[in-house]
Amino acid sequence: MDLKQRINSDKLPCHVAIIMDGNGRWAKQQGKERVFGHEGGVESVRDTVKAAAEIGIQHLTLFAFSTENWCRPHKEVNTLMGLLTKAIDSETLELHKNNVRLQAIGDIDALPSSCRKQLSEAIELTSGNTGLTVNIALSYSSRWEITNATRKIARKVAEKRLDPEDIDQELVDQAMETARIPDPDLLIRTSGELRISNFLLWQLAYTELYFTPVLWPDFRKKHFFQAIVDYQRRERRFGKVECHADDVKQA
Ligand code: FPP
């Protein structure tokens, strides 16, 4: 039976997050510059979005550029920004036709204006779509997000619009970039690294982790389906004996 047929549509993860890693190593293996790996990575993004939409995943979050990535050589940062802008430009209509909604999380104001413009147009155009939501994490890091959320909450307290006693998990959750997006059920990281790397630290509390040695530019639909099949074999307990994701949100 092929991998896709082995997926149980009643037990799909609602939200899959991916750390797309290994572009540089993939390029090096072919004796090319790192940038070549990022270009290859765009094709993997396309295939993965198609795979997620095909089986009915509701949210797909892709870690495309971290706060720390700004410290890479200028040439690589510029190329990455150019690639992102170009990819958003060339893929938006296709996404829209397929009822995919695009959203972004991260310090969007830090992006070059051309990228910001392309992104906001794509977000606006696809805002009414009801299929898969693709969240791109750009200039994102979890510690940046948590710091920012803390600042928002502290401001409300300082302005006497919030009593500190009323701060609960739900309120903190809603101050995050991912407010209104359910926590990821599954996190995939490619390239064999066994780290979370400052990605969605708050949201990953009970997420199932899946690590694959496949380098991101080699990642295709079959690898995505394999991760889903693996996820469906697991028993999720959320720290209890037996329960369901909904119970945790209400706890
Ligand atoms: C990590 O590989 C990858 C990135 C920092 C960039 C990912 C970006 C893309 C795939 C571009 C397209 C994205 C979208 C959403 C259109 P690395 O450079 O850290 O690889 P290494 O660990 O082998 O050095």
Side-chain angles (χ1 to χ4, degrees), residues 111-162:
L111 301 174
S113 61
S114 54
C115 187
R116 260 189 347 247
K117 182 171 176 285
Q118 205 65 255
L119 189 64
S120 63
E121 283 173 11
I123 291 173
E124 172 67 28
L125 178 74
T126 61
S127 62
N129 291 345
T130 53
L132 170 71
T133 297
V134 176
N135 306 299
I136 323 183
L138 286 168
S139 192
Y140 172 88
S141 84
S142 199
R143 288 182 175 179
W144 167 84
E145 174 186 45
I146 292 170
T147 308
N148 218 18
T150 309
R151 194 179 299 119
K152 281 189 229 168
I153 294 169
R155 215 176 271 139
K156 282 191 188 166
V157 172
E159 291 165 0
K160 305 224 178 305
R161 289 190 289 132
L162 177 66

Side-chain angles (χ1 to χ4, degrees), residues 23-24 27 34-43 72 76 80 83 217:
N23 294 354
R34 301 176 54 79
V35 163
F36 183 69
H38 298 317
E39 284 166 357
V42 176
E43 192 52 44
R72 291 191 176 198
E76 184 173 346
L80 262 170
L83 261 181

Side-chain angles (χ1 to χ4, degrees), residues 47-83:
D47 225 47
T48 303
V49 170
K50 276 193 207 154
E54 226 172 270
I55 59 171
I57 300 290
Q58 290 177 42
H59 290 270
L60 179 71
T61 299
L62 303 172
F63 202 3
F65 194 87
S66 73
T67 311
E68 292 76 19
N69 286 157
W70 291 114
C71 300
R72 291 191 176 198
H74 278 310
K75 188 178 163 211
E76 184 173 346
V77 171
N78 287 343
T79 311
L80 262 170
M81 287 299 143
L83 261 181

Side-chain angles (χ1 to χ4, degrees), residues 15-19 59-62 184 186-188 199-200 204:
H15 182 178
V16 180
I18 308 185
I19 301 178
H59 290 270
L60 179 71
T61 299
L62 303 172
L186 171 66
L187 172 80
I188 300 172
F199 188 47
L200 302 174
L204 293 178

Side-chain angles (χ1 to χ4, degrees), residues 166-182:
D166 291 336
I167 298 173
D168 58 9
Q169 292 191 20
E170 178 58 23
L171 190 126
V172 177
D173 211 47
Q174 291 309 306
M176 296 286 173
E177 292 287 293
T178 49
R180 291 178 297 280
I181 303 173

